[in-house]
Amino acid sequence: MTTIDLVSYEDALASYDPVMGLEVHVELGTRTKMFCGCSTELGAEPNSQTCPTCLGLPGSLPVVNAIGVESAVKIGLALHCEIAEWCRFARKNYFYPDMPKNFQTSQYDEPIAFNGYLDVQLEDGEVFRVEIERAHMEEDTGKSTHVGGATGRIHGASHSLLDYNRAGIPLIEIVTKPIEGAGERAPEVAKAYVAELRELIKALGVSEARMEMGQMRCDVNLSLRPNGTEKFGTRSETKNVNSLRSVERAARFEIMRHAAVLSSGGTIVQETRHFHEEDGSTTAGRIKDNAEDYRYFPEPDLVPVAPAREWVEELRKGLPELPRVRRNRLREEWGVSEHDMQSILNAGAVDLIVATIEAGADAASARKWWMGELARRANEAGTDLAALEITPVQVARVCALVAEGSLNDKLARQVIEGVLAGEGDPDAVVAARGLAVVSDDSALGTAVDEAIAANAGIADKIRAGKVAAAGALVGAVMKATRGQADAARVRELILERLGVEG
Ligand code: ADP
Ligand code: MG
Ligand code: ZN
């Protein structure tokens, strides 16, 4: 990796104004591929999900996947786009071993959706509108694995393996108009946009949009222009960035790199770049100028797509509440701050909390357990909240046991530990571990008497009227009962025994 002297982020922004363009590819969750009936299921034997069409064999004919088109229209509508009355697929001609047809079936000057926007909310609550140029349908390529080299890259490899199971899986590519005016917040806007788009795609149910699985990936185009000028600078295009954090880091790095090149009198070449997770840097890929000629032409083997207006309106009516709107509604219902809601979102806890409330918990308790104890455990285990072995229904049951006084928080944490360890439902864990709160006077009486006897000095102070000192005795009883005593009742018993009024 070549090292370059970067300009600090602050210095870069003092002289230059960033312009960004984000291209996001989303793999649709259709059961079959975009132009043939092959399965899209992950994890199958290489090349077991192929046919003459997705292998590009002579004489094979493609057929458009209706769900693919429907998903594209839904995405377009949710992004406030116009939906084409009539559009076609186009061949994008180029050779690559993982693309056996020698062209990618895509859309060119006739995208199915265009001219929209997505409002994204930044961490401080500010809303930034990102304008959408187009959303078009296309297909994924196969996958190459380079074998025999040290790095897994083609350089140094002895041979390459090809798996065409992914070839032909439907993709929607969503391209923004140039994003101007974000200034120093450009990297944050980029991250917030991809995050919002991911939520939207999930809410529409058209894809799980899991970035770590490559179901959603982002190309970050970035250029700088001197502050106060209009004309765009030359852009670089950092390809296939596959996490929210990486999108932000890639934009940030490119701002510092462009500034370094420009301020030392150099010129930026229009090229693709690779992002490196380890240190957040990018390195040059291939030179890409606008003259790149794919010899696009309308796909002659597919009929044009002309979505009927009534159907489009029907789909529009069926759209779910937009994630940002839903989040703001929930934020008000739950009575949490902008900042707390952002943390809940970042933790991936919104739907879990909603489901826990639906299962009977009150909002404050549901939030407390998911964002407290469970978030801590997920963090320790290095997994997502959703991956924890506990369901919202089980969390709601823990909340109910606490609300009715059968568990205190300390015992509830042990119940959660038991559920996570596979010991069964909360009630089963309570029974097996004997975790119920003890509030029965005869059971508590002995522990209270012992605590008073062992702490005669403190007991005298309480008798003399220093009621606040009772806390120390309550603590002693809680310790002796391993946290299972009903603390409020213990306090009452202590004061009764010592003959003072609470
Ligand atoms: P390509 O096929 O070369 O990637 P696209 O038009 O599909 O081109 O995508 C380019 C993306 O970069 C779009 O989001 C566009 O708005 C954005 N863009 C175009 N010019 C610039 C520029 N000078 N600086 C930053 N972004 C740009
Ligand atoms: Mg591009
Ligand atoms: Zn096929």
Side-chain angles (χ1 to χ4, degrees), residues 86-343:
W86 190 92
C87 66
R88 282 178 297 191
F89 286 96
R91 290 190 181 184
K92 182 181 184 181
N93 295 284
Y94 63 102
F95 167 78
Y96 209 75
D98 61 18
M99 207 185 53
K101 297 192 296 189
N102 278 350
F103 61 85
Q104 179 189 28
T105 307
S106 180
Q107 294 195 287
Y108 182 48
D109 49 358
E110 300 166 322
I112 189 153
F114 51 93
N115 263 345
Y117 64 85
L118 180 62
D119 284 336
V120 306
Q121 206 155 352
L122 305 181
E123 303 249 342
D124 66 357
E126 193 200 320
V127 174
F128 192 97
R129 176 160 295 186
V130 175
E131 294 191 277
I132 307 292
E133 172 81 40
R134 55 194 277 147
H136 70 247
M137 300 178 282
E138 57 183 36
E139 59 178 336
D140 214 342
T141 58
K143 198 174 146 202
S144 337
T145 308
H146 306 296
V147 188
T151 60
R153 299 200 171 199
I154 196 162
H155 301 283
S158 60
H159 61 288
S160 299
L161 299 172
L162 286 159
D163 175 7
Y164 293 114
N165 284 353
R166 199 179 64 186
I169 290 191
L171 293 181
I172 304 295
E173 178 173 347
I174 300 151
V175 184
T176 69
K177 293 185 179 169
I179 301 169
E180 302 176 66
E184 60 176 3
R185 303 189 80 171
E188 189 192 345
V189 167
K191 178 182 169 193
Y193 167 76
V194 178
E196 191 63 35
L197 190 55
R198 187 181 63 172
E199 291 304 308
L200 183 68
I201 298 287
K202 285 197 291 188
L204 291 171
V206 296
S207 168
E208 289 178 28
R210 292 174 63 173
M211 295 188 81
E212 73 283 5
M213 313 242 311
Q215 290 170 339
M216 182 166 169
R217 35 202 201 251
C218 179
D219 298 343
V220 181
N221 292 268
L222 190 128
S223 67
L224 295 183
R225 59 186 171 190
N227 275 334
T229 65
E230 288 288 320
K231 192 168 169 285
F232 291 171
T234 304
R235 67 181 156 117
S236 59
E237 182 179 352
T238 305
K239 304 291 284 183
N240 291 326
V241 186
N242 67 355
S243 75
L244 295 178
R245 177 163 176 263
S246 298
V247 167
E248 184 170 28
R249 292 171 88 202
R252 202 180 159 87
F253 182 88
E254 282 298 281
I255 287 174
M256 296 191 285
R257 186 184 68 84
H258 280 229
V261 171
L262 295 172
S263 62
S264 64
T267 45
I268 295 288
V269 263
Q270 189 168 329
E271 64 186 358
T272 65
R273 297 190 63 90
H274 304 291
F275 178 71
H276 305 283
E277 207 73 61
E278 322 81 72
D279 60 357
S281 70
T282 68
T283 51
R286 68 191 158 93
I287 301 285
K288 182 174 174 184
D289 55 45
N290 289 323
E292 201 171 34
D293 195 348
Y294 290 111
R295 297 272 158 162
Y296 276 102
F297 64 84
E299 166 61 61
D301 287 342
L302 288 167
V303 291
V305 176
R309 293 300 97 176
E310 307 79 62
W311 181 57
V312 171
E313 289 317 308
E314 219 172 276
L315 292 177
R316 193 195 303 277
K317 281 199 214 102
L319 289 181
E321 186 180 23
L322 289 178
R324 191 176 62 83
V325 175
R326 174 172 182 254
R327 255 183 352 253
N328 285 335
R329 172 174 64 75
L330 292 173
R331 191 171 66 70
E332 289 192 359
E333 284 175 16
W334 298 349
V336 298
S337 68
E338 203 77 75
H339 180 266
D340 285 349
M341 196 65 197
Q342 191 65 47
S343 313

Side-chain angles (χ1 to χ4, degrees), residues 401-419:
L401 291 169
V402 173
E404 72 184 36
S406 310
L407 293 178
N408 55 29
D409 282 6
K410 183 164 181 232
L411 294 173
R413 279 195 291 276
Q414 294 177 45
V415 173
I416 285 172
E417 178 188 78
V419 175

Side-chain angles (χ1 to χ4, degrees), residues 33 35-38 49-55 167:
K33 293 186 181 179
F35 303 111
C36 63
C38 289
Q49 292 162 343
T50 56
C51 72
T53 299
C54 57
L55 288 177

Side-chain angles (χ1 to χ4, degrees), residues 361-376:
D362 67 275
S365 314
R367 194 160 57 83
K368 172 178 131 176
W369 290 108
W370 282 109
M371 293 305 290
E373 181 67 7
L374 290 164
R376 191 180 63 74

